[in-house]
Amino acid sequence: QLQLRESGPGLVKPWETLSLTCTVSSGSITSGTYYWGWIRQPPGKGLEWIGAVYYNGNTYYDPSLRSRVTISLDTSKNQFSLRLTSVTAADTAVYYCSRLVSQLERLVDYWGQGTLVTVSS
Amino acid sequence: DIPMTQSPSTLSASVGDRVTITCRASESVGRWLAWFQQKPGKAPKLLIYKASTLQSGVPSRFSGSGFGTEFTLTISSLQPDDFATYYCQQHNTLWSFGRGTKVEI
């Protein structure tokens, strides 16, 4: 059964870079069947799309974050990662990694459990 | 991106009630609209995709309809397990979420 597991620091200082990794437990991230994405949720607020990556390295970012975000694949470890630069308190959120079905117009069908990242000095 | 307007933001209901949540897109998203359920401290769960297709394992009391810019999620008879927050999401042009509807007792 598929498992998506986020990992990374739970505390990041302002203006530093947030880095998270998502480990995919079954299936290869290099299959063209799926995209791989990141979504976040500030405490007590709604869901915010961050971006996604395809097996060929193509990336798709939300316009509001595009200048600060990089999503990439590590095929040797079956992982994908998120980097968000110059973070502020507004980036404090639970970060979810997700799977998207390419044949259903990149539908999000599976989520990781989420990891809380707090931006604070 | 495509802003999604979801209403109401909060809905008070009782067990057995019929509940309807509306989601409007600022431009057409065709049928590429999904509904998610989220409980406190948990990741969202996919309920409905392609506007009206029930995800495997989701109870049949959930249904979705709509096309283009207007969509609805209906729970035909609210059960205790259904008290949660519901989000719509379009994935026709990149992705964007509605702000959520909290269904409370």
Side-chain angles (χ1 to χ4, degrees):
Chain A
Q1 180 172 345
L2 175 71
Q3 279 195 347
L4 301 177
R5 182 160 297 173
E6 304 89 352
S7 59
L11 181 64
V12 181
K13 289 183 167 55
W15 307 112
E16 294 191 347
T17 297
L18 179 160
S19 295
L20 295 175
T21 297
C22 183
T23 301
V24 181
S25 65
S26 69
S28 171
I29 62 170
T30 59
S31 160
T33 306
Y34 301 109
Y35 290 66
W36 306 95
W38 289 95
I39 298 159
R40 70 181 183 180
Q41 185 170 37
K45 296 188 178 180
L47 300 166
E48 300 178 355
W49 184 264
I50 299 173
V53 62
Y54 196 34
Y55 80 101
N56 59 5
N58 285 354
T59 51
Y60 309 83
Y61 300 135
D62 186 88
S64 67
L65 295 171
R66 184 172 291 143
S67 63
R68 298 195 291 132
V69 171
T70 303
I71 298 175
S72 58
L73 301 170
D74 185 339
T75 56
S76 66
K77 296 181 181 177
N78 218 42
Q79 296 174 335
F80 61 103
S81 64
L82 168 71
R83 290 183 75 250
L84 182 65
T85 61
S86 303
V87 297
T88 68
D91 295 308
T92 293
V94 174
Y95 285 76
Y96 295 99
C97 60
S98 62
R99 186 180 78 173
L100 296 75
V101 183
S102 58
Q103 289 187 334
L104 288 173
E105 205 66 20
R106 299 169 294 189
L107 166 75
V108 178
D109 74 331
Y110 210 87
W111 300 63
Q113 63 186 16
T115 187
L116 174 64
V117 179
T118 300
V119 178
S120 175
S121 55
Chain B
D1 63 347
I2 299 177
M4 305 297 291
T5 303
Q6 196 174 329
S7 60
S9 56
T10 305
L11 190 160
S12 297
S14 302
V15 172
D17 284 353
R18 182 181 181 87
V19 164
T20 298
I21 298 168
T22 298
C23 184
R24 289 188 175 87
S26 62
E27 61 186 80
S28 176
V29 298
R31 284 209 177 278
W32 301 115
L33 190 286
W35 291 96
F36 296 90
Q37 177 195 66
Q38 187 179 33
K39 296 183 178 178
K42 299 292 187 181
K45 169 189 167 185
L46 177 64
L47 297 177
I48 288 171
Y49 63 96
K50 280 177 67 177
S52 60
T53 302
L54 207 61
Q55 173 71 336
S56 175
V58 174
S60 59
R61 62 181 180 272
F62 291 92
S63 64
S65 65
F67 181 86
T69 61
E70 293 220 10
F71 301 88
T72 59
L73 171 69
T74 299
I75 310 173
S76 60
S77 177
L78 199 65
Q79 297 302 301
D81 191 49
D82 301 337
F83 290 96
T85 300
Y86 295 83
Y87 294 92
C88 63
Q89 186 209 30
Q90 69 80 21
H91 53 105
N92 181 67
T93 304
L94 296 182
W95 303 262
S96 49
F97 291 96
R99 293 191 170 189
T101 296
K102 183 177 182 180
V103 177
E104 58 183 23
I105 299 173

